[in-house]
Amino acid sequence: MALRKITVQENVYLYKSTTGFGLNSEIARFEITIFLKDFKQTPLKINFITWEDLYTGNPLNTGVNLIRLTAKEEEFVNLNRPKYIRECILYGLKIGWNGKNKLESIDGLEILESLGYDVSSLHPKEEFIKAHGKEYLE
């Protein structure tokens, strides 16, 4: 996938998103990688670990209705929209990423929670975690 461009706070960023599976189709990963223009060695990596449906795919890639707790309203969330990429960049800046330094990969569901969304429906099935261990998600 080609890199896309977005401008946030007068800085130009390039980003891409990828999806993938774990060892089976019950766990899926949606990853967003963001670079400050001309600084490809220090990306901000955000991983959203969720479930995958054989028919509808990864809910964050195809879109899913989530409740925004602050407004008590349902909102359609698709992480391919620039609105969410912007929020990811702002979150990274808030926790100390400046585009020129490297951070550990960020849990994307924490970002959605910080935006006020109820992400409980996105967590992988509890039975799967019990059977395979939490380290499988990392």
Side-chain angles (χ1 to χ4, degrees):
M1 174 182 218
L3 293 174
R4 296 177 69 190
K5 184 166 68 169
I6 188 171
T7 302
V8 177
Q9 296 180 346
E10 300 181 19
N11 288 312
V12 176
Y13 297 91
L14 303 171
Y15 69 94
K16 67 178 181 176
S17 61
T18 56
T19 59
F21 294 102
L23 296 175
N24 69 40
S25 63
E26 291 187 47
I27 296 285
R29 186 180 305 263
F30 186 98
E31 182 178 78
I32 298 172
T33 305
I34 303 167
F35 309 91
L36 178 62
K37 188 177 178 198
D38 299 324
F39 290 91
K40 288 189 177 179
Q41 299 300 314
T42 52
L44 178 65
K45 288 192 173 251
I46 304 162
N47 282 298
F48 298 82
I49 306 298
T50 187
W51 48 268
E52 181 89 10
D53 183 83
L54 293 175
Y55 299 106
T56 59
N58 185 311
L60 295 169
N61 187 42
T62 57
V64 64
N65 286 321
L66 295 177
I67 300 291
R68 192 152 214 175
L69 298 172
T70 53
K72 302 282 188 224
E73 293 178 354
E74 199 170 68
E75 191 173 315
F76 187 74
V77 176
N78 181 323
L79 293 181
N80 292 301
R81 294 180 59 204
K83 164 185 177 177
Y84 298 105
I85 302 301
R86 180 182 185 283
E87 292 294 349
C88 288
I89 292 169
L90 293 174
Y91 186 88
L93 294 172
K94 181 179 168 183
I95 63 167
W97 180 72
N98 62 18
K100 300 173 186 176
N101 61 323
K102 200 165 189 169
L103 295 179
E104 293 292 320
S105 182
I106 298 170
D107 179 351
L109 295 182
E110 287 181 13
I111 294 174
L112 291 176
E113 284 180 333
S114 76
L115 295 172
Y117 293 105
D118 176 5
V119 297
S120 59
S121 65
L122 295 174
H123 289 283
K125 294 183 177 99
E126 201 60 41
E127 303 82 44
F128 182 84
I129 295 171
K130 286 179 186 173
H132 299 283
K134 190 168 183 155
E135 59 277 349
Y136 178 84
L137 301 175
E138 297 171 352

